[in-house]
Amino acid sequence: MYEKKEIIYSETLGVCQVAELTKLAAKNGDQVLYYGLRSVFDKSKVAYIPVEHHRVQLRDLISVEEAEQLAKNMPEDMNELQKREVEYVMEHRKIV
């Protein structure tokens, strides 16, 4: 489970921040826990994805090493959201 303020990758938003964890009512009246995700690049884009049983791929960001490799040799089939993930990781890598 991701925590509030964590930066992750969503296949629909790209790099995003978990803005909130909130309960929303399901069709049957039950309360379901959702991630409130906000795009890092476009703050007006928000998505609510159920914490459990979601169909949208959510994952940790790629590593700095993976970003460096991809930056050197971008695959032709890489979509714009993935390219922005590489840029984000490269810009925000921690200098050790």
Side-chain angles (χ1 to χ4, degrees):
M1 187 166 144
Y2 296 108
E3 300 296 325
K4 188 175 178 182
K5 296 187 179 181
E6 198 167 349
I7 304 293
I8 63 172
Y9 182 87
S10 161
E11 70 178 336
T12 57
L13 288 178
V15 179
C16 57
Q17 182 177 45
V18 178
E20 64 179 325
L21 290 166
T22 189
K23 288 187 177 179
L24 300 173
K27 289 181 183 178
N28 64 5
D30 291 344
Q31 294 288 309
V32 178
L33 189 61
Y34 278 77
Y35 293 116
L37 304 177
R38 184 174 305 279
S39 170
V40 168
F41 298 109
D42 183 351
K43 302 290 187 202
S44 69
K45 291 185 179 179
V46 177
Y48 287 89
I49 309 292
V51 171
E52 295 182 7
H53 310 297
H54 53 265
R55 294 185 181 140
V56 174
Q57 179 192 16
L58 302 177
R59 62 169 170 76
D60 294 332
L61 294 180
I62 59 175
S63 69
V64 172
E65 293 79 17
E66 289 171 303
E68 288 171 346
Q69 285 292 88
L70 289 168
K72 289 178 188 175
N73 189 17
M74 288 269 187
E76 288 183 25
D77 63 344
M78 188 175 233
N79 69 41
E80 197 59 38
L81 294 177
Q82 293 167 321
K83 289 177 185 175
R84 297 206 65 191
E85 177 186 19
V86 170
E87 293 168 10
Y88 180 88
V89 171
M90 295 291 288
E91 289 174 12
H92 293 87
R93 63 183 166 203
K94 296 179 181 171
I95 300 172
V96 179

